[in-house]
Structure formats: structure tokens, C-alpha cells
Amino acid sequence: MTTIAVVTAGLSQPSSTRLLADKLAAAVSTALPDVEIEVIELRDLAIDVTKNMLTGFPSPALRAAIDTVTAADGLIAVTPVFTASYSGLFKSFFDVLDQKALDGKPVLIGATGGTERHSLVLDFALRPLFAYLRAEPVATAVYAASSDWASPGDLDTRASRAGRELAARLSSEGTDAAPDSGFVPFEQLLRAGE
């Protein structure tokens, strides 16, 4: 069975960050029905993450979260935007992972914020972070501003597209599923040019 770890860094409860993470996970589940999804709420691990940064030793709860992310076939990572970037808790969690933990792992990135002005965080903060970690973000990233929740039609469309892209990457028939999402893997483009 395909497994996906969902890392969400929302601080409030309920959290729009968690709502977006759930929406993205549902979109992947729709596109790839035989998938197991495990959600990691960083809010619940904040003290453990901080202690790990200070001591270098994870608590049992943090170790379980790290193992879940490391073992998962794919990752959905969603953060609120603070000061025009990802949250400190979000970054700290990825700082405590082994540097090779995400090598080649497909990831769907998302972020939430008060206004549309912060949507560039996806390309100027999150993509560089996951590129450094050698993960493989799908083409469509999803940003949700406060206004998106009032009329979520466009947000649903973006989430669905991103979910199909991650599902295509995870599916054994990824090249067959990719054209529906608009995403064509680089390897397929190379083969087409031969």
C-alpha cells in the first residue's frame, strides 16, 4: 500500500493550515484510492522539536513522526506564512530530519496566509527548502489565502490538480496518470524525444 505523510504546521485549532492539508490529502486519495495517509500535527510536537534541536535526541513521539515521514512514499507539507516565509516550527522540524531523509521523495507543498500577497512563499521559500533536501516537489503547489475559504471553488480546483500530480508520481502507472494532471515527468519527455 502507498503511504503519504502529511506534515502540517498550523498553530491554532482549528487551523486553516490543517484544513488545507486535509483538502490536499483528500485530493490525493481521490486520485489514488489505495493510499494510507498519516497526519503529523507539528503543533503537538513543538516542545519535542525544540528539545531535539538543543540536545540532538528526539523524544519517542518525535522519533515516531520522523520515522513516519522517512518511511512514507510521498509527503504533503503545509505551513502558515509568518514574516513572508514558512513558520519557524515547520523549518525546525525539517532541520531535525536526517539530511538524506527526503532524497527523491515526491512532495506536494502548500501554504496558508491572510492575503494573496504571500503566495510567492511557495516558490521563494518552500521550493528551495525541499530542493536543498533533495525532495521532488510536484509542479502544482497550493496557497490558500483567507478569501479562498469563503468561495473555495478555485482552491478545490488547484488542490485537485496538485493531488492528481502527487498521485501520478506515486502510482505504478505514473506515466499513464500524468497527462490528466498536466504534469509530464522529465523522464517521459526525454523518452519522447528519442
Side-chain angles (χ1 to χ4, degrees):
M1 174 172 281
T2 303
T3 58
I4 297 175
V6 179
V7 175
T8 175
L11 298 180
S12 60
Q13 204 168 17
S15 158
S16 62
T17 303
R18 174 62 190 264
L19 292 174
L20 179 58
D22 289 345
K23 185 178 286 288
L24 296 174
V28 175
S29 293
T30 299
L32 187 66
D34 192 24
V35 66
E36 182 180 324
I37 294 175
E38 188 159 348
V39 178
I40 298 165
E41 283 272 8
L42 294 183
R43 176 182 189 272
D44 299 335
L45 298 169
I47 293 170
D48 297 324
V49 170
T50 302
K51 285 182 179 178
N52 188 139
M53 293 190 80
L54 295 172
T55 65
F57 297 102
S59 67
L62 180 58
R63 170 52 51 206
I66 290 169
D67 290 346
T68 296
V69 169
T70 303
D73 299 305
L75 175 65
I76 297 173
V78 186
T79 180
V81 175
F82 292 128
T83 320
S85 189
Y86 37 68
S87 75
L89 178 58
F90 183 85
K91 177 65 164 64
S92 295
F93 175 75
F94 288 101
D95 283 345
V96 301
L97 291 181
D98 182 271
Q99 192 169 359
K100 296 181 180 179
L102 300 182
D103 275 6
K105 193 177 299 290
V107 60
L108 192 169
I109 56 177
T112 58
T115 72
E116 295 82 359
R117 295 177 304 162
H118 297 295
S119 63
L120 291 175
V121 71
L122 297 169
D123 292 322
F124 290 97
L126 288 169
R127 284 194 191 278
L129 171 65
F130 287 103
Y132 177 79
L133 295 170
R134 294 188 292 270
E136 297 180 2
V138 298
T140 301
V142 181
Y143 179 82
S146 297
S147 59
D148 285 316
W149 299 104
S151 173
D154 183 51
L155 178 59
D156 290 342
T157 301
R158 288 180 280 135
S160 179
R161 179 178 175 160
R164 287 192 311 268
E165 290 173 6
L166 183 58
R169 291 292 254 321
L170 295 170
S171 172
S172 60
E173 312 107 36
T175 54
D176 294 337
D180 292 338
S181 69
F183 173 78
V184 180
F186 184 67
E187 301 81 26
Q188 185 177 349
L189 291 172
L190 287 176
R191 283 188 299 239
E194 292 177 346

